Amino acid sequence: MARSEELSITAGQASLAGTLTLPDAPPVDDAGRGYPNVLLLGSWMPRHREGAWDRAGHPTWFAPAAGREPGLLARLAAALADWGVASLRCDPRGCGASDGAWESVPLFTKIDDARDMLAAMRSHGQLDLRRTGLLGHGEGAVIALSVAIGDPAVGALTLIGPPARSWRDVLRRGVAARSRGGTDREHPIVATLDRWSEDVIERAQRREDFFDLRLPGGEVVRLGLAGVEQAIHTPALALASMLHRSISLVHGQADVWADPDESDLLASVLAKSGNRPSRRVVQSAGHDLDEASDALIGELADDLAARLQPRDLPPVLVALEGMG
């Protein structure tokens, strides 16, 4: 069982809407600390806090819902609560009830937003500052790596469907995979991005400001290219070489957004950097793990919960902890 609190988080000049999911039972900790906790970060394209496509905010961009709802992040939040772990998930900028425009948000702003989400969690009196983890899905995996590198209080990460190479290479391989099977091509925004992917890449590398994606119905989506350029030059491989943490990699065998061998490559770099990553491939599952059973989602939550061991805190968090 779980209970939820709705939060409004200040991120720069924007307000992000989020849901903090708390276990129904009181925290079980011999030291009297609060709940271990995890920040959940979603994948590419406009998605709401549950992890599914943001159809309400962008109704002309996506086909009607046909798969499992409410979404991967919501399923994980419920499973984590069953294991006594609190979690926060937020609508990204321009999605759900959050401020902004999704199509113009740079990658580095998304990373800053994740740091602000962590700060909001740490100001909550029921959470244990010494037992914090990150779970990133797709693009969220890159954001999680970026945040963890500079935050020694983050103890464990789970990366689902993570890329390893440059966004340019991951996009090209994804376009090829989706063209072979048609997966997700029913969504106008996906089909249009795939059609114009090489133009988007070329113009981003020339540091142009934007590219107009014209959807089949005539709507024009002005895609900001600063975030594309940043993603091209911020591959997860480079980030992984700077990280020393407990890391679990999970990949759907039928992922058409980040090929499963991205996890292989990422695991290799993590191991060379002194980590001992685990890797799991979910057979017949796609990028969102819609095909994964609730039991398997529970296993992923259990694995992350077990790795949330207490860590030493930097002085600023020690002071915050002392304030209760």
Side-chain angles (χ1 to χ4, degrees):
M1 297 293 293
R3 50 196 171 92
S4 296
E5 295 182 11
E6 299 303 302
L7 303 181
S8 179
I9 297 167
T10 300
Q13 301 300 313
S15 177
L16 305 180
T19 298
L20 179 68
T21 299
L22 297 163
D24 195 39
V28 179
D29 184 81
D30 293 339
R33 292 188 288 260
Y35 297 108
N37 49 92
V38 174
L39 176 62
L40 307 175
L41 300 166
S43 190
W44 295 285
M45 306 299 288
R47 295 170 180 264
H48 51 62
R49 73 188 77 174
E50 310 296 78
W53 306 118
D54 183 30
R55 291 181 171 89
H58 304 89
T60 61
W61 293 16
F62 298 104
R68 181 192 291 266
E69 295 288 345
L72 178 59
L73 299 190
R75 298 178 71 195
L76 286 163
L80 285 165
D82 288 342
W83 289 102
V85 177
S87 64
L88 174 66
R89 61 192 189 278
C90 293
D91 294 326
R93 294 190 188 216
C95 299
S98 291
D99 294 342
W102 168 85
E103 58 269 29
S104 61
V105 183
L107 174 64
F108 293 167
T109 299
K110 296 176 184 179
I111 295 170
D112 287 339
D113 287 351
R115 295 189 178 110
D116 289 332
M117 294 174 204
L118 267 183
M121 292 173 68
R122 287 166 173 164
S123 67
H124 194 285
Q126 297 186 59
L127 305 186
D128 182 0
L129 275 62
R130 295 178 182 271
R131 293 183 292 167
T132 295
L134 298 174
L135 185 147
H137 175 215
E139 181 185 46
V142 178
I143 296 172
L145 287 169
S146 300
V147 171
I149 287 169
D151 194 327
V154 173
L157 294 86
T158 293
L159 307 180
I160 299 177
R165 302 170 176 87
S166 162
W167 184 89
R168 173 186 55 219
D169 303 321
V170 172
L171 176 62
R172 283 171 170 162
R173 298 184 76 192
V175 169
R178 290 188 290 276
S179 68
R180 289 192 294 270
T183 302
D184 289 339
R185 286 285 183 89
E186 71 274 18
H187 305 305
I189 188 69
V190 176
T192 304
L193 176 63
D194 284 1
R195 178 183 179 187
W196 296 103
S197 58
E198 288 302 320
D199 297 80
V200 169
I201 291 169
E202 180 182 346
R203 295 193 184 192
Q205 292 180 147
R206 292 205 305 255
R207 296 193 173 183
E208 295 187 17
D209 292 333
F210 60 85
F211 182 83
D212 286 339
L213 294 171
R214 189 173 298 277
L215 303 189
E219 180 182 358
V220 175
V221 178
R222 178 152 286 190
L223 182 67
L225 297 180
V228 174
E229 184 196 6
Q230 291 168 1
I232 288 173
H233 297 295
T234 313
L237 284 178
L239 299 171
S241 67
M242 296 182 279
L243 188 67
H244 301 281
R245 291 311 145 79
S246 171
I247 301 177
S248 178
L249 305 173
V250 182
H251 227 114
Q253 182 266 334
D255 192 334
V256 296
W257 287 89
D259 191 278
D261 68 11
E262 296 288 310
S263 282
D264 281 336
L265 186 55
L266 198 57
S268 175
V269 172
L270 286 166
K272 289 178 181 178
S273 300
N275 300 283
R276 299 178 64 184
S278 66
R279 183 173 182 271
R280 180 169 189 165
V281 175
V282 182
Q283 296 299 319
S284 303
H287 184 64
D288 288 359
L289 302 187
D290 285 347
E291 302 80 4
S293 66
D294 289 341
L296 188 144
I297 295 296
E299 290 175 13
L300 300 183
D302 180 22
D303 168 74
L304 180 53
R307 292 184 290 115
L308 294 175
Q309 300 301 313
R311 291 179 64 84
D312 293 335
L313 298 178
V316 65
L317 292 184
V318 171
L320 186 61
E321 182 182 50
M323 295 169 61

